[in-house]
Amino acid sequence: MSAQRSAVAAALAALTLLTATACSSDDGGDGPFDGGSPRSSAAGPSASPSGKGAEPPPEKGSAKVVRTLATGLKSPWGLAALPGGDLLVSSRDEGTIIRVDGSTGEKTEAGTVPGADPDGEGGLMGLALSPAYASDHMVYAYVTTESDNRVVRMLYDERKPSGQQLGAPDTVLKGIPKGVIHNGGRIAFGPDKLLYVGTGETGETGLAQDKKSLGGKILRLAPDGEPAPGNPFEGSPVFSYGHRNVQGLAWDEEKRLWASEFGQDTWDELNGIEAGDNYGWPEAEGKGDKGGFHDPVAQWKTSEASPSGIAYAKGSVWMAGLRGERLWRIPVRGVDGEPRTEAFLKEEHGRLRTVLAAGGGKLWLVTSETDSRGTPEKGDDKILEVEVE
């Protein structure tokens, strides 16, 4: 971290201590807007509780930035890898999708997503490619509009001129509650080829426990937006509930679903997600062994994490920290009990928003200094290539 960023960060930390309130943001309270181990697979009940029998990852891991792929990104949020290795990245505040060459880092604009209404923690957020992308060329996006949060899909035609490559958005699911804070935003297709959507409770804590609300949930949908077959609540897209603000989704090789979640004042969480389970918010934050609630697998002080994206690689979940400005490693393959977590890249690259597995021990890591909460320096924001073990 540069001297400038260190000084500003120290000042912000002192200010945070003086002005902390009971309503923290997607960054654990560092901005003006508020900042149990899995028993079975989210995609199939036959998975073992903790990867038992599988080779566990090394006790000590590593994470090294080997190059900066791209610079000059504005409020980057969602990230999706195209066949061939190029990347699509969304700009939360500008409502655009940029294509980044996976070798050279060259940037070209795919287009603007109409209807995006950036405000506070909302805007154009998560991206995902259709499971049938090779034939349908559909890109899915999580978008805040004037009235709600919703999931849309668009045809991506890279043969068209730059800036005109996105087709008109088709609404997949609408009616997800929106707010200045806690809009969730991460979307991902699982091993079952179903679409998972992480949402937030918009600061209205009661939504998380209301099974009829789409806020404070993980949703599971068919690609056309209908509730997925086999969902725990008949006719509903709700897959799990009792969440505060889910912004990270990833699966391991056993098809177990993991999700990162912002706490309020005390504990941020990594959860193992099971169909129909209640993850406790607002009655529980962090581990509490309260009856009826699913405890997190791991937890952190909000100052050390404020997590957004996660990815799975080398037997571990890798979790990007915003306020914590670090990359967390949480070994989960073959691990019984509470995993021993490690932090890497602490305060070296600023706030970290999104992490995406790129095969083997390679991750793409996106910084988040231009989202109104950071202290941007020359070149921000960036996509970094990271080697992990």
Side-chain angles (χ1 to χ4, degrees), residues 49-138:
S50 59
K52 202 169 183 179
E55 182 70 22
E59 182 176 348
K60 292 286 188 180
S62 62
K64 179 183 178 181
V65 175
V66 295
R67 66 167 172 151
T68 298
L69 174 65
T71 61
L73 297 168
K74 304 303 180 185
S75 60
W77 211 102
L79 192 67
L82 292 164
D86 288 357
L87 302 170
L88 294 180
V89 56
S90 65
S91 169
R92 187 195 69 183
D93 296 342
E94 297 188 344
T96 57
I97 295 178
I98 303 297
R99 180 172 180 147
V100 178
D101 188 291
S103 298
T104 67
E106 180 183 358
K107 303 189 295 289
T108 55
E109 182 175 327
T112 299
V113 179
D117 184 37
D119 183 26
E121 294 173 5
L124 178 59
M125 295 187 279
L127 297 178
L129 301 187
S130 162
Y133 181 83
S135 58
D136 67 21
H137 301 286
M138 298 300 289

Side-chain angles (χ1 to χ4, degrees), residues 264-281:
Q264 180 168 272
D265 296 320
T266 310
W267 298 115
D268 292 325
E269 302 175 356
L270 178 72
N271 286 295
I273 303 300
E274 294 187 53
D277 274 13
N278 184 348
Y279 287 80
W281 181 254

